[in-house]
Amino acid sequence: MRIKLKDNWLFTTDDGTSKNISIPHNFPLNVRSYPNPVFEHGSYKRVLKEVKNVSGKRVFLRFHGVDYHSKIFVNNKQVFEHTNGYDLFEIEITDFLNFDGTDELIVEVSDYDISEHPERVAGKQDWYGNSTGIIQDVELWVVDEVYIKSVTIYPKDDLKTVDCFVEFSDGKDYEFEVTVLDPQDIVVLNRKFNKGKIEFEIPNPQLWSTEKPNLYSIIVNFKDGNNEDSFKSRFGIRYVKIENGRLLLNGEPIYLFGALDQNFYPDTHYSLRDKVKMLSELTKAKDMGLNLLRYHVKIPDDLYLEIADELGILVWIDLPYARELDEKSRKYLEYLLENTLKRHANHPSFIIMSLINESWGVKISENIDDETKNWLVSFYHKAKKIDPTRLFVDNSACVGNLHVVSDIDDYHYYHSFPYHNKQWKEKVEKFASGKFRTFLKKPEKILPKVLSEFGVWGLPDQRTWEFNWPSYPVALMGMVFDGSTPEEIMKNIYGFHNLEDFIFQTQLHQFWGLKYQIETIRLHPEIVGYVITEFSDIAWEANGLLDYNRMPKFFYPYIRFLNTGVLGIIKNHTSLLKNSKYIADIFISNMLNKKIDGKMVVRTEKRFLKEIQLSIEPFKLSNIGKFEFTIDDEEQNIFVEIFDGGEMLSRNFYPIMKLEIRELHKEIEWISDEKVKIDNFEVVHESKRIFGNLDWRCDWISGFTIFNTLRDLNISAVLWGLNELVSEYILVPKKLEKFSTRNSIISKVIGWGFGIGTLLYVKNENGKSKIFTTLKNSELSKMLISNIISKE
């Protein structure tokens, strides 16, 4: 008998409060554990009625994850003690049981102040709140003296042969029977074996892929004298490898459309929700065109991978980290590596693992010491030896650190949209061409290039937040500011803008930013995938495609148009036109493993513009050439649609706006110097810091561009076109209460209102109006300002 002990637990905190709960479970977050985690302690109690009258059997408990320090008691006797929060561990409790239906299990769990133990592996619990409790499943195994401990399956690259390891509890070999059922539950194999390491072939294999996630079942039956057992698992026939700079799944190139999944929740925090909610959540990933989720610096429970297996979502797991790895925590990571690879071996969705993220806990830079380098190399080779069927990243790198040895050349960049489009474009070009250094020493073979973190923010509606989050401060990596609960922050925003419109415009900013950055990546076929930061918002961090409740942001129906194998791209699209003439170059990125013989249609929302017959090879970027047309005043979007036969493969669209020539009866002061003096404002360079790590560049925590929507304006077109007009300066009010939307025509807000400024401000003095702007002094800026201001 192997069952999950999910229900009928009594959870008690140190103050004596008790509550009936289900496992997995986190201690509820409170003012002590968020945002700066400190010591927590409590206990879980359960009666093991399941073992009544089963004496003569062996009984084991398997804990999939308890954070951080646990003591296990059976009938008031301590039977085990465990530290570290991420590994699966098991204990035998047979000798402590009465088997009378009253056996009592108690698990005491405690945590610690993370700030006092930087050497301990904790993941990002000091970013988003402490995790304490039985955070993953607990299993009860009731078995004979000799039983099947594990069955692990590794499909080979011929995509029909399987290596299978059947491990018995005493380490010996026994005769056993293997039955394999195909995805339709038809028996395709039934054989007996007498060795723990076996090999068998699947007839007419149905492969597991992101499009067809076929799953087989394996049943291992064993009987030897008084010992009898049956073990069941699912697996998929798939193989992943690298070749000539490509990622191959089942021998075919695949492009990764990914998102970073930090997997915290407002109610269950560090633990998964139930299967219905998890299915809803991960189905949304598929709906948005994603085929990969990067499970960030924590170990997923089986349910997450089971659903990924069923839906056809690839999973990239990051090992958790310590802030300062010492010898003990390095050894734990090595143990955790082996523990995780064995535990999740049968999940076909799990294809990649990062051993270190962004050099956290170690220093993997140009000046890396030999001991650290040698450890990282040995860590990588240990992973490859344990599981050669998966890909491993030594250090998922970002600015300031490098790879040493890896299966994938991945890197993290963050640049704000539209302010730093040029820097983003240059970085992507250098990364794609290999001119940007990502390795300590150039690898001997061409590795797949993946931009494994990038993104921009888009604020959710904090009024819909669940659980206690509306009362928690919007902290920044553990830092808390006065008046920083969501409600208090939004009051500042109320003072200068309509709340509903503000939230919509931040999400509009996020969509167009992602669109620009994804298209830039797609113009470089040397890059074989990307990972958007991130799948869902988390606490104060608002760069999710979904909000913290896993509800869609406004652009949910549109993002799938970007995460698609075939994409028509207008390179260097100009959204703001000085006249009616539009000229553009169109490219088509085909990241499908098939040739496209079809047509491309270019149109506006009003009329058909052009049709071109296409023949595009797999994994190629094709230059379709220039096209030009004259736009009508009412046209606001250009569409690029690609068809293969009668099927539409993709649709892309671009905002456009023809600026009218309008007379402006107001003086403009063009500001391009911090020395300029303006009453109630200071002129700030974008490099000026706010709250430690923040500055007005907004490359990581985004700056939102908010327009006064009372004016007749195609916001999307102006937002896209601002990259040509913005300077490095911004006007910041000395007193926020004197700052209003009526006067600030184009506002810039850092994250959750950490900073509020303006790019275009109308000041009324002595009955006259004067315009102050940090936009570049150009003809296009003048036309844009006249189109906005003349509507007043």
Side-chain angles (χ1 to χ4, degrees), residues 327-486:
E327 184 177 357
K328 186 176 180 180
S329 51
R330 284 183 181 182
K331 286 182 178 179
Y332 176 66
L333 281 185
E334 292 180 35
Y335 170 75
L336 182 60
L337 167 74
E338 190 168 358
N339 185 279
T340 303
L341 291 177
K342 183 176 181 180
R343 172 183 168 186
H344 292 321
N346 297 351
H347 292 291
S349 57
F350 169 30
I351 66 164
I352 304 171
M353 175 179 277
S354 289
L355 307 179
I356 298 291
N357 180 68
E358 293 187 349
S359 191
W360 292 343
V362 288
K363 292 182 172 61
I364 311 173
S365 65
E366 178 66 41
N367 299 318
I368 186 173
D369 60 87
D370 289 340
E371 181 187 1
T372 301
K373 181 173 68 175
N374 292 339
W375 174 75
L376 190 61
V377 170
S378 68
F379 196 15
Y380 166 83
H381 286 297
K382 179 176 183 177
K384 296 297 288 184
K385 184 177 181 180
I386 294 171
D387 190 344
T389 70
R390 290 181 166 89
L391 305 178
F392 295 92
V393 175
D394 60 337
N395 171 48
S396 197
C398 68
V399 176
N401 55 88
L402 299 163
H403 289 282
V404 178
V405 56
S406 180
D407 292 328
I408 299 173
D409 181 4
D410 76 312
Y411 216 77
H412 307 168
Y413 298 108
Y414 291 96
H415 281 297
S416 64
F417 170 87
Y419 302 91
H420 292 160
N421 285 0
K422 180 180 178 182
Q423 292 93 322
W424 172 257
K425 181 179 177 182
E426 290 174 351
K427 285 269 183 72
V428 173
E429 288 174 349
K430 288 181 179 179
F431 177 64
S433 66
K435 293 179 181 178
F436 188 92
R437 187 182 182 195
T438 57
F439 272 79
L440 190 67
K441 182 180 179 181
K442 188 176 180 180
E444 296 178 356
K445 58 183 177 181
I446 302 173
L447 299 178
K449 291 182 176 292
V450 178
L451 257 171
S452 52
E453 280 192 33
F454 73 98
V456 291
W457 281 38
L459 297 182
D461 188 342
Q462 52 83 28
R463 295 169 298 182
T464 67
W465 281 14
E466 296 177 349
F467 197 55
N468 295 327
W469 284 99
S471 62
Y472 289 146
V474 179
L476 177 62
M477 297 174 63
M479 295 186 294
V480 180
F481 315 105
D482 291 338
S484 63
T485 65

Side-chain angles (χ1 to χ4, degrees), residues 128-169:
Y128 312 117
N130 197 30
S131 169
T132 309
I134 305 178
I135 60 174
Q136 294 195 3
D137 287 335
V138 179
E139 289 181 288
L140 177 73
W141 284 20
V142 180
V143 291
D144 289 330
E145 180 65 27
V146 178
Y147 63 96
I148 301 169
K149 193 169 185 179
S150 66
V151 176
T152 49
I153 300 165
Y154 302 94
K156 292 189 172 183
D157 60 359
D158 66 0
L159 297 174
K160 60 182 180 180
T161 309
V162 169
D163 281 336
C164 179
F165 296 84
V166 179
E167 181 186 9
F168 287 90
S169 56

Side-chain angles (χ1 to χ4, degrees), residues 419 696-698 703-705 730 746-750 755-758:
Y419 302 91
W696 284 97
R697 292 189 184 96
C698 304
F704 306 114
T705 307
I730 186 168
I746 305 177
S747 304
K748 186 175 183 181
V749 180
I750 301 177
I756 298 176
T758 182

Side-chain angles (χ1 to χ4, degrees), residues 540-558:
W540 51 268
E541 199 167 302
N543 47 9
L545 302 176
L546 306 174
D547 70 15
Y548 201 13
N549 300 336
R550 274 48 175 191
M551 296 303 292
K553 293 183 178 177
F554 102 87
F555 53 77
Y556 178 80
Y558 310 114

